[in-house]
Amino acid sequence: MLVHLLYRLRFRGRHQIPPYGPAIVVCNHVSFMDALVVGGASPRPLRFLMDKPIFDSPWLNWLFRLVGAIPVDADRRDPGSVRHALDEVSRALRQGEVVMVFPEGRLSPDGEVHPFRRGLELILARDGVPVVPAGLAGLWGSWTSNHGGKALSSPPRRFRARVALFFGEPIQPGEASRRNIEARVRALKAEADGWADGEQRRA
């Protein structure tokens, strides 16, 4: 409800998320609102990976625990964090849950999709499950993105922006390479950009 109040949303392809069984949803990462938008669009509850410093926020930690977020930090700051996160992701998938991943590993510095990191391959090497690619557009320029400076460092500048989230067909385990998934996310984002920028697109 909150996300619908904040943005003019366009969702396409929500049925691509399997109605049951394990799956991974992979999306580009533009802002701190991304997980809320993707989670709100999903017909099933999502577990999602997130930065541990944000997960440990004293104000929001209770919410992240409630929705089953999986914290992850760099091993240089928290030895064993990556392994623990991978174990939790594997446990969730083997219990038939859907896990959301932002493979870029950080917020986009310019609104574009950046190379995916190898964490996604580590997950798929453990558990070969369908991967649902998604492209998100319209949140670059918001105060929760890195547009014009570090995210959340300035007050909101716009309201009711057009935000589009397009899901693609699931990529089966045998075809789910990092390069293939990244290419599908880039293509879906390009389509979503068209609607977010005001162009008319067919549903």
Side-chain angles (χ1 to χ4, degrees):
M1 291 177 61
L2 174 63
V3 172
H4 278 277
L5 286 173
L6 293 174
Y7 306 111
R8 289 177 289 165
L9 297 169
R10 172 72 176 274
F11 297 141
R12 191 186 76 183
R14 287 184 287 184
H15 65 280
Q16 302 290 2
I17 296 177
Y20 55 87
I24 297 172
V25 174
V26 172
C27 188
N28 58 304
H29 201 11
V30 185
S31 81
F32 284 124
M33 292 296 292
D34 297 353
L36 291 179
V37 173
V38 180
S42 173
R44 294 176 59 188
L46 296 179
R47 302 285 303 277
F48 60 94
L49 282 166
M50 67 178 303
D51 287 336
K52 191 174 186 297
I54 300 174
F55 178 88
D56 289 336
S57 165
W59 297 104
L60 295 174
N61 179 257
W62 65 272
L63 175 61
F64 298 141
R65 290 181 180 276
L66 181 67
V67 300
I70 302 170
V72 61
D73 204 348
D75 271 340
R76 66 178 181 276
R77 290 194 299 262
D78 183 1
S81 176
V82 173
R83 185 185 71 252
H84 177 76
L86 290 173
D87 288 345
E88 187 60 29
V89 168
S90 186
R91 186 178 301 112
L93 292 173
R94 292 174 189 182
Q95 291 175 350
E97 298 183 80
V98 181
V99 175
M100 182 177 64
V101 178
F102 296 113
E104 293 163 275
R106 60 171 182 161
L107 293 185
S108 173
D110 55 13
E112 299 303 319
V113 180
H114 285 254
F116 286 2
R117 298 184 179 181
R118 63 186 296 266
L120 179 59
E121 292 177 332
L122 296 176
I123 292 172
L124 293 174
R126 286 177 165 222
D127 297 279
V129 301
V131 177
V132 180
L136 178 63
L139 285 169
W140 177 249
S142 73
W143 71 297
T144 59
S145 73
N146 284 329
H147 183 271
K150 189 176 181 180
L152 307 179
S153 63
S154 62
R157 296 181 293 269
R158 61 177 187 163
F159 298 93
R160 301 292 293 162
R162 295 165 66 98
V163 173
L165 176 63
F166 290 0
F167 296 95
E169 293 184 8
I171 302 172
Q172 298 307 312
E175 303 173 355
S177 67
R178 177 169 42 162
R179 178 177 296 180
N180 189 16
I181 298 169
E182 181 181 327
R184 291 293 298 126
V185 170
R186 288 180 180 274
L188 289 162
K189 179 189 177 297
E191 294 181 47
D193 278 334
W195 186 85
D197 291 340
E199 295 179 10
Q200 294 297 320
R201 295 283 182 180
R202 296 178 61 185

